[in-house]
Amino acid sequence: MSGTLQISLKINGESRVLHTAAHSSLLNLLRDNGYFDVKCGCEQGDCGACTVLLDGIAVKSCVILAMNCDGHEVRTIKGLGGHDRLTSRLQKAFVEHGAIQCGFCTPGMIIAAGDYLRHDGRADREQIRRAMSGNLCRCTGYQKIIDAVYEVAAELESEVCG
Ligand code: FES
Ligand code: FES
């Protein structure tokens, strides 16, 4: 394909060879190739709707150049839900707490929450609020989201402590 670069990356465990323009974001690459579970909001790094895991770290895919992902591994919410136990627990807690309304922010919220908990995140509402502050929600008022993440964090802590 002229004017494009070929890159190889792993998406949700599958090796893919894809073409991208030099200026394209990872978000656009993903959505152009059918990964619509990655949401497109502000495209300026402000809303967190486009959050994915890049080599296991939560990133806002709209501010990552696709060509810089050559040789790397990406996981979207679809690649985590049903496969990753922590993600499944967060999804369940979001549903039970009514932390999902329109659902647009939810994939990014759950990936950001999972990132917090995987990196030793505590059951502390203030710390959770801070960790989730890069993800915006227009519907829920945030409290139910914080409650859902808090519940999973508290369960994890009690499991570790026995
Ligand atoms: S779409 Fe990426 S942060 Fe808003
Ligand atoms: S549930 Fe609608 S933006 Fe968060």
Side-chain angles (χ1 to χ4, degrees), residues 27 39-50 60-62:
L27 169 64
K39 300 302 176 198
C40 177
C42 65
E43 289 192 83
Q44 294 180 355
D46 292 330
C47 75
C50 64
K60 294 176 178 177
S61 60
C62 68

Side-chain angles (χ1 to χ4, degrees), residues 97-160:
H97 283 269
I100 304 171
Q101 286 185 28
C102 79
F104 188 82
C105 70
T106 311
M109 285 286 182
I110 292 198
I111 290 181
D115 195 56
Y116 171 71
L117 295 175
R118 264 184 219 99
H119 292 93
D120 257 356
R122 302 266 152 243
D124 177 309
R125 288 177 195 280
E126 197 40 52
Q127 283 184 28
I128 294 170
R129 213 167 273 129
R130 230 175 293 138
M132 306 290 291
S133 63
N135 290 70
L136 305 183
C137 175
R138 284 183 295 189
C139 307
T140 64
Y142 298 101
Q143 194 52 50
K144 293 170 177 176
I145 292 173
I146 303 301
D147 289 346
V149 180
Y150 180 89
E151 180 183 276
V152 177
E155 282 171 10
L156 291 174
E157 280 183 10
S158 73
E159 285 167 17
V160 170

Side-chain angles (χ1 to χ4, degrees), residues 84-115:
D84 173 66
R85 191 157 168 261
L86 177 59
T87 302
S88 301
R89 286 173 77 159
L90 283 164
Q91 288 173 319
K92 189 165 170 279
F94 269 56
V95 170
E96 286 172 359
H97 283 269
I100 304 171
Q101 286 185 28
C102 79
F104 188 82
C105 70
T106 311
M109 285 286 182
I110 292 198
I111 290 181
D115 195 56

